[in-house]
Amino acid sequence: MNKMDGGIYLEQDGELVEMTEHSYPEEDVLQERLAEFPRLLAGNQMNPETPRNWALIAREAGIPDHEGGGGRWSADHLFIDQDAIPTLVEVKRASDTRIRREVVGQALDYISHACIHWDADTLETHFGQTWEQQGHDPDQVLGELLVDDSPSQFWEQAQSNLRAKRVRILFVADQIPSELKRVVEFLNEGFSDAEVFAVEVAQYKGEGMKAFVPRLYGQTEEARGTKKTSRYDGAIENEEEFFADIDSKLQQGKVTSKLAEAYRELYDFAQEQGNVQINRAQNASFKLLVDEHQGHAGGNPGVFSANINTNLQIWQASNPLPDEEGESSDVAWSREAYEEYQEAFSRLEGNLDGNTASIEIIALDGNLQQFKAACNEFVTRCKEATHTDERW
């Protein structure tokens, strides 16, 4: 293993332990460290006010070059942060000459196709497979990353970020050459939404110990000033902004008058059922929260959530509900009550996606009234079950 210039010193038992910098014997060694310890990606240096936290979606994530195609390319790593921003990572050793220029064109090729061809289902499927293969519960792993969203809302936001080209590219190596530093600064200042950084992860060894020191390159003051620091920058915060967004989309022709009217009606209906929470998002989005539906279930689940730009989704709250009598449950209502709600939802005209339907489908003649009736019936049964259950 080749020694490199520089070193760090650790104080231990009153003595200084010298740790010298070493290159990685193989590229895969660094890749494994990143997969296991995403904090090495210098998330605190990218945004000191709100440090980036990541969860691994996949290693060697396949990227198609056309709709419905297989994976023509594969990114070394695909992570996602707490704001649902997909983060593509390309890893090279300093000894690999491709780290200077070739890797940049390669990564741009990857991300340009990923923004078009990856979607919420693709990301969620990769994420689930990755963590199940490692013997971990994907829902638990994701739960540690989530802030306010439900899992479905989180993956929908990830898809929205892809379509808006709000993504991140990281070039990682044991040493970042000056040529790459200049390129990432230029790209990061030039892109309005995408972020491009280089991360140097130096490895130090000494007396049986290892240390890893990440350093970020590409975060210039000009680049910092042109980008949002959080997905919540400019997000809708209250009812006034919520309705203003609907009106704005109507005036710009992004939604029809029929859809806007149906969405307002859906919002008014939700207020009659329980507590309506306006989601902090770039588009008018809300969810219906009913205490009797949620019970003691975690994750702040709603009876349904709706986004004017995408879809409406219904929620079970406890997933799954116990199959056998006598098993504990976080809710008082029965599996049968939810299944009938789910069945009524699936019968909406044009609804082919199980628990999710586009807002355009909800706005169809008859569908909105059918959904409102099914939702009202389910909420009523939740309340009745709660008030008669001895546990409550």
Side-chain angles (χ1 to χ4, degrees):
M1 194 174 296
N2 297 326
K3 286 188 177 182
M4 303 167 72
D5 293 335
I8 60 176
Y9 298 86
L10 299 181
E11 183 177 355
Q12 189 175 49
D13 299 328
E15 300 289 337
L16 286 182
V17 177
E18 181 180 8
M19 303 185 73
T20 56
E21 190 175 357
H22 290 252
S23 61
Y24 295 91
E26 296 177 351
E27 184 180 297
D28 194 56
V29 173
L30 178 54
Q31 291 190 15
E32 289 179 357
R33 291 293 179 273
L34 297 178
E36 188 174 1
F37 305 109
R39 285 178 293 176
L40 292 175
L41 294 174
N44 59 336
Q45 297 176 44
M46 292 176 195
N47 190 336
E49 293 79 17
T50 311
R52 299 296 84 196
N53 297 315
W54 283 285
L56 178 67
I57 292 180
R59 292 185 63 179
E60 304 299 332
I63 306 169
D65 62 353
H66 64 276
E67 186 174 354
R72 176 178 176 181
W73 307 286
S74 61
D76 289 338
H77 297 79
L78 176 62
F79 291 92
I80 195 157
D81 74 6
Q82 69 266 41
D83 287 335
I85 297 177
T87 300
L88 185 150
V89 177
E90 282 297 301
V91 180
K92 293 286 186 291
R93 289 189 298 166
S95 58
D96 189 335
T97 57
R98 292 176 297 173
I99 190 64
R100 285 164 173 77
R101 290 187 180 87
E102 183 179 332
V103 70
V104 176
Q106 175 181 292
L108 292 176
D109 209 358
Y110 291 176
I111 202 66
S112 65
H113 286 82
C115 284
I116 299 172
H117 301 304
W118 278 346
D119 56 23
D121 289 340
T122 300
L123 299 180
E124 185 175 10
T125 298
H126 281 313
F127 183 85
Q129 291 174 344
T130 293
W131 290 102
E132 286 173 358
Q133 288 172 1
Q134 296 184 31
H136 296 284
D137 181 356
D139 292 336
Q140 183 175 350
V141 174
L142 185 62
E144 295 174 358
L145 188 68
L146 294 181
V147 180
D148 297 321
D149 292 339
S150 65
S152 178
Q153 289 172 321
F154 181 81
W155 294 117
E156 287 172 10
Q157 179 64 42
Q159 177 175 306
S160 296
N161 285 336
L162 282 169
R163 299 297 181 265
K165 300 178 179 59
R166 191 158 184 240
V167 293
R168 187 180 295 110
I169 304 171
L170 304 182
F171 301 104
V172 181
D174 47 1
Q175 285 189 331
I176 302 297
S178 58
E179 298 95 330
L180 183 58
K181 292 176 186 177
R182 287 194 292 269
V183 170
V184 296
E185 287 182 0
F186 176 81
L187 293 175
N188 205 27
E189 291 175 354
F191 289 149
S192 60
D193 294 306
E195 293 182 313
V196 184
F197 297 114
V199 181
E200 184 175 275
V201 183
Q203 174 184 228
Y204 294 84
K205 291 187 175 186
E207 297 192 12
M209 295 181 291
K210 290 183 182 179
F212 300 93
V213 181
R215 301 184 183 96
L216 183 73
Y217 297 97
Q219 183 64 294
T220 65
E221 287 303 315
E222 182 176 345
R224 189 188 297 274
T226 60
K227 302 182 194 296
K228 298 176 181 178
T229 58
S230 167
R231 61 181 278 196
Y232 299 121
D233 289 353
I236 292 170
E237 298 283 354
N238 52 50
E239 193 172 77
E240 181 181 354
E241 294 176 357
F242 176 88
F243 285 112
D245 183 68
I246 298 175
D247 292 338
S248 175
K249 285 180 168 56
L250 181 59
Q251 293 171 6
Q252 296 175 32
K254 295 181 178 180
V255 301
T256 64
S257 58
K258 181 177 180 180
L259 191 150
E261 182 180 352
Y263 198 69
R264 291 191 186 98
E265 182 177 342
L266 184 66
Y267 181 84
D268 291 340
F269 164 77
Q271 287 190 312
E272 298 170 357
Q273 300 296 309
N275 175 35
V276 172
Q277 176 180 304
I278 292 177
N279 298 323
R280 297 178 67 193
Q282 302 300 320
N283 302 293
S285 174
F286 72 93
K287 64 181 174 181
L288 168 60
L289 297 170
V290 176
D291 290 342
E292 293 86 350
H293 163 256
Q294 181 171 332
H296 300 300
N300 203 27
V303 175
F304 71 84
S305 61
N307 186 315
I308 194 170
N309 225 37
T310 53
N311 53 41
L312 181 149
Q313 182 161 8
I314 63 174
W315 295 98
Q316 183 169 313
S318 180
N319 190 18
L321 284 166
D323 287 314
E324 303 293 338
E325 291 186 10
E327 290 187 51
S328 62
S329 174
D330 290 328
V331 296
W333 43 270
S334 67
R335 176 183 292 275
E336 179 185 17
Y338 178 78
E339 289 177 345
E340 290 183 8
Y341 176 43
Q342 187 180 44
E343 174 63 24
F345 185 74
S346 68
R347 289 198 300 268
L348 297 179
E349 180 185 350
N351 181 13
L352 304 175
D353 296 323
N355 289 16
T356 304
S358 70
I359 290 298
E360 287 81 3
I361 286 177
I362 299 298
L364 290 175
D365 291 337
N367 273 359
L368 179 58
Q369 302 310 317
Q370 183 178 330
F371 172 71
K372 286 166 59 178
C375 182
N376 180 68
E377 173 66 19
F378 176 59
V379 170
T380 299
R381 293 181 66 175
C382 289
K383 293 179 178 179
E384 290 175 347
T386 300
H387 296 154
T388 58
D389 194 306
E390 294 179 356
R391 294 172 298 160
W392 296 80

